[in-house]
Amino acid sequence: MQQPPLDEMENFLRGLQDRICNALEEADGAAKFREDLWERPGGGGGRTRVIADGALLEKGGVNFSKVHGDRLPPSATAHRPELAGQTFTALGISLVLHSRNPYVPIVHMNYRFFSAGPVWWFGGGADLTPIYGFEEDARHFHGVLKTACDRHDPGFYPRFKAWCDDYFTITHRQEMRGIGGIFFDDLHGDASLLRAFWEDMANSFLDSYLPIVARRRDLAYGERERQFQLLRRGRYVEFNLVYDRGTLFGLQSGGRTESILMSLPPLAAWAYDWQGEA
């Protein structure tokens, strides 16, 4: 199967990064993204954009990267050992947003493409981690993702939702990280059809997230809600540093550490043997 054109997908992801950053700056109304261009010693590089201390966003990052190398790192071959030792190219966009208001959920989005030797595949997804859950927000977020999936294959949403629920589990605590979304990896087949699906899902991000922001950003909160937010962020950190395949791939492949760890919140908390109130 012929590989999709890398230059066209790179242009799409760069344009998507621009559109998302512009929309988030407009929604925040105070802060602007800082941009860092970086090069990876082993090949490739990226464009990191981070926003901080805003009216809406306490910290957020929207990263584009395209890297290549002589040997796939262990995180990329754990599920496909036959590819060990292959040259590789990886490009993608990754986003994590930590809001100031505890009623606005943490959101994560990542869409990527890999090629390793003669093999290529798409991966990605988006998921929501509320501090305080609202059924209306959950239905909206999942509804946007399902609508986008259904435009391509009605079997995609139930399959990729279940995959997301399984993947974003903090196993050592037996907890879900949030309310899920969709997640897929190793997706290969008809290149044009899969690329159309991949781009459509990436384009759906702003529609899935910004209406939730509009509903929750002005809700009043106090120190009690802030402390609970910090504890929930601690759980988010645990997942990212222990289980997240994207984080492990970035660190093992010699990526830029500051860009990889931009997903971590500016503040988090851990309380010994904490038991939450109803």
Side-chain angles (χ1 to χ4, degrees), residues 126-128 135-149 157 160-162 164-165 178-182 201 208 212:
D127 66 283
L128 205 65
E135 183 175 347
E136 179 185 11
D137 296 348
R139 289 186 179 278
H140 169 80
F141 187 78
H142 279 272
V144 170
L145 297 180
K146 182 179 186 300
T147 298
C149 283
Y157 175 75
F160 298 152
K161 178 192 180 299
C164 185
D165 290 342
I179 63 162
I182 66 160
M201 297 309 302
S208 72
I212 297 173

Side-chain angles (χ1 to χ4, degrees), residues 35-269:
E35 179 177 278
D36 288 325
L37 304 178
W38 56 273
E39 295 184 0
R40 176 178 171 272
R47 188 169 69 175
T48 293
R49 291 179 180 169
V50 174
I51 192 169
D53 300 322
L56 168 67
L57 297 170
E58 190 171 7
K59 181 186 175 187
V62 184
N63 292 350
F64 165 80
S65 64
K66 180 183 179 183
V67 300
H68 53 87
D70 296 332
R71 182 184 296 270
L72 276 166
S75 62
T77 59
H79 300 283
R80 305 186 72 161
E82 73 277 9
L83 297 179
Q86 291 280 2
T87 60
F88 73 93
T89 298
L91 72 157
I93 187 170
S94 181
L95 170 156
V96 177
L97 304 175
H98 296 280
S99 66
R100 188 174 296 281
N101 190 315
Y103 291 109
V104 179
I106 303 168
V107 67
H108 161 251
M109 181 269 274
N110 175 284
Y111 288 96
R112 57 196 176 273
F113 175 83
F114 274 83
S115 64
V119 180
W120 57 263
W121 66 93
F122 288 97
D127 66 283
L128 205 65
T129 302
I131 310 303
Y132 292 93
F134 293 88
E135 183 175 347
E136 179 185 11
D137 296 348
R139 289 186 179 278
H140 169 80
F141 187 78
H142 279 272
V144 170
L145 297 180
K146 182 179 186 300
T147 298
C149 283
D150 287 351
R151 284 195 286 266
H152 303 271
D153 187 324
F156 277 173
Y157 175 75
R159 175 184 167 195
F160 298 152
K161 178 192 180 299
W163 199 340
C164 185
D165 290 342
D166 179 65
Y167 179 75
F168 289 109
T169 297
I170 308 173
T171 307
H172 60 271
R173 293 191 183 273
Q174 290 301 296
E175 294 177 4
M176 292 280 294
R177 187 170 87 170
I179 63 162
I182 66 160
F183 177 83
F184 59 90
D185 207 359
D186 303 319
L187 201 62
H188 57 278
D190 186 307
S192 61
L193 293 178
L194 293 179
R195 178 184 165 194
F197 162 70
W198 181 77
E199 292 186 357
D200 200 5
M201 297 309 302
N203 280 327
S204 72
F205 168 74
L206 291 172
D207 290 339
S208 72
Y209 175 66
L210 289 181
I212 297 173
V213 170
R215 282 196 292 267
R216 308 300 169 199
R217 63 181 301 167
D218 294 325
L219 293 181
Y221 67 92
E223 186 61 24
R224 178 176 179 270
E225 289 78 15
R226 173 64 167 172
Q227 289 304 312
F228 184 58
Q229 180 188 43
L230 298 182
L231 289 168
R232 292 297 302 152
R233 285 178 175 179
R235 297 292 209 264
Y236 198 89
V237 171
E238 289 179 24
F239 179 89
N240 273 29
L241 295 183
V242 176
Y243 302 112
D244 188 75
R245 288 170 63 179
T247 301
L248 295 176
F249 174 84
L251 296 174
Q252 292 173 0
S253 65
R256 182 174 182 261
T257 301
E258 288 299 316
S259 299
I260 298 161
L261 297 183
M262 67 85 194
S263 62
L264 302 182
L267 294 171

Side-chain angles (χ1 to χ4, degrees), residues 14-43:
R14 287 181 178 274
L16 177 66
Q17 185 189 33
D18 291 339
R19 293 194 301 276
I20 289 175
C21 289
N22 290 339
L24 292 176
E25 285 184 348
E26 182 178 355
D28 188 277
K32 299 293 184 181
F33 278 92
R34 164 187 169 178
E35 179 177 278
D36 288 325
L37 304 178
W38 56 273
E39 295 184 0
R40 176 178 171 272

